[in-house]
Amino acid sequence: MFSYHEPLIGEPEFDSLEELRLFRKRRVALGYRVFAALGWGQMSDGHITARDPERPDHFWMLGHGVPFGAATVDRMVLLGPDGAAVDGYTEFGYMPAAHAIHAPIHEARPDVVSAAHTHTQYGTPFSALNEPLRPICQEACQFFERHGVFEGTELSVESIDIGKRIAVALGDHRAVILRSHGLLTVGSSVDEAVGWFVMAERAAEVHIKAREAEPIPDDAARYTRDDLGPADGWKRFQWLVNSLIPDPSVVG
């Protein structure tokens, strides 16, 4: 069993790796359902991953072909270092794009438990501008000096080499904008990665709708970012689940 610490930010403590694994799989399933509730992923265009606690070069994600809104623990699949499906929902096997994008990020960033990416109504068009987010709204301030831009033109990411370049563009940040492709966020928990993603999408929406907006000064952007704190992504995910998923136990 696990016990929450007050205030809990991140993942609970567990008595076994198996319990932590199950917890992460449940959070991934909830993350996919949050994406579905927001109208994302109808064409299976995206992935949320969680590092396996026992095999850190493996990660869990939703099995290929499963609708985001139908995500459950028993539909999670474990991808190995070579991209092969080695455990869980292996019916549809190998997923080259998910592996090529996420594996290099998990390898380059031992602190990252989870990475989230999907194609969205505003993040994708904003990414086509090939520019960073400016501090023009509260959500955007959370990414001020905390995100990168991948300027590569490879939109079909099926090569580990491309994924490694994405990881370089991400650096030690919490987000990277993939040129003409969309947004990608990472976190020390699934909750954090998904929370950051939704906030990045909100920031992209403001950029698309208010193209002539005047950014606030750098010092004000830093103050807003630091005042909200590094745990803000985690907190937002709690609200998203509470607001959008009536019965979280549905994921198993």
Side-chain angles (χ1 to χ4, degrees), residues 28 31-32 35 41 43-50 59-64 68 79 95-103 106 114-119 157 178 181 183-185 193-194 197:
V28 170
Y32 275 103
F35 277 10
M43 296 185 293
S44 189
D45 46 2
H47 338 94
I48 301 170
T49 57
F59 57 81
W60 294 92
M61 60 177 291
L62 185 63
H64 188 60
F68 285 14
L79 295 191
M95 290 157 252
H99 178 254
I101 294 173
H102 290 253
H106 282 283
S114 177
H117 163 69
T118 193
H119 302 177
V157 184
L178 309 178
H181 191 160
L183 310 172
L184 184 146
T185 55
V194 175
F197 188 92

Side-chain angles (χ1 to χ4, degrees), residues 65-95:
V66 180
F68 285 14
T72 57
V73 168
D74 60 4
R75 289 176 171 174
M76 293 293 124
V77 62
L78 182 67
L79 295 191
D82 60 355
V86 298
D87 196 4
Y89 191 81
T90 59
E91 181 176 350
F92 293 101
Y94 187 80
M95 290 157 252

Side-chain angles (χ1 to χ4, degrees), residues 109 111-112 143-149 168-176 185-187:
R109 292 280 301 275
D111 60 307
V112 164
F143 300 96
F144 183 67
E145 302 174 331
R146 296 291 185 271
H147 74 292
V149 178
V168 169
L170 171 66
D172 61 357
H173 297 313
R174 60 184 53 149
V176 61
T185 55
V186 299

Side-chain angles (χ1 to χ4, degrees), residues 3-13 231 234-235 238:
S3 59
Y4 285 99
H5 295 287
E6 294 296 338
L8 171 68
I9 300 298
E11 295 181 319
E13 292 185 355
W234 183 93
K235 294 174 183 176
Q238 314 315 308

